[in-house]
Amino acid sequence: MKHLVLSLILLIPATDAVAQALPPLHEDRRVRASFYAAGMADIIRNNCTELSGRDLRGLRYALALRSYAFDKGYSKDDVDTLLKNEEQAEILRQQIVRDLGRRGATPGNEAAYCTVGREEIERNTLTGRLLRDNG
């Protein structure tokens, strides 16, 4: 029992140090790619009346992403901080808008947003899996 208690005491600082060594959650490649895909799907569905979002699928994916973050050692506070980080959200939104623009999807060009959305659906990307073709 004495060894167990000593082991637990020794693990506490190591666990805390590991948590402190984690980079900000918005820098995690999987998390960033997931937010990018969800953001792109949202922009597409808001600019193409022929496509809509798969809300239940998006919710399930968001819950899985939260579990992924917890499994990596991030806390609920880390996840909350990410979700409230408006600066990073805006940086990502601007990147998505630029990328959509390169593909021809620009404000006022609904057909181009629909084309990009259908391409994403056809390629079965995460963005595509978050969209539904109503046509």
Side-chain angles (χ1 to χ4, degrees):
M1 182 69 166
K2 181 177 167 183
H3 293 305
L4 177 61
V5 172
L6 182 57
S7 296
L8 290 175
I9 291 171
L10 291 174
L11 282 176
I12 291 170
T15 304
D16 191 35
V18 169
Q20 290 176 1
L22 291 170
L25 193 51
H26 71 267
E27 292 178 5
D28 182 276
R29 288 176 54 185
R30 179 173 172 183
V31 170
R32 187 160 179 79
S34 297
F35 273 87
Y36 179 94
M40 180 178 278
D42 194 50
I43 291 172
I44 289 171
R45 73 179 181 85
N46 285 324
N47 286 282
C48 173
T49 57
E50 298 170 12
L51 300 176
S52 60
R54 293 181 178 265
D55 296 336
L56 187 56
R57 184 174 285 180
L59 177 60
R60 281 194 317 260
Y61 193 78
L63 292 172
L65 190 59
R66 184 179 69 170
S67 292
Y68 165 81
F70 290 160
D71 290 346
K72 297 272 288 190
Y74 290 96
S75 69
K76 181 184 179 310
D77 287 341
D78 294 326
V79 172
D80 290 344
T81 297
L82 172 67
L83 295 175
K84 294 175 186 173
N85 191 331
E86 292 181 27
E87 178 184 351
Q88 287 302 316
E90 180 59 20
I91 289 169
L92 191 59
R93 188 193 71 73
Q94 289 175 11
Q95 179 185 355
I96 294 166
V97 167
R98 279 191 309 272
D99 292 347
L100 285 167
R102 286 186 200 109
R103 295 173 72 181
T106 55
N109 189 350
E110 180 177 0
Y113 284 101
C114 295
T115 297
V116 171
R118 287 188 177 103
E119 288 170 355
E120 295 292 317
I121 292 169
E122 179 66 29
R123 290 178 29 223
N124 198 32
T125 65
L126 177 53
T127 296
R129 290 189 302 273
L130 295 173
L131 293 170
R132 174 190 341 259
D133 193 338
N134 303 322

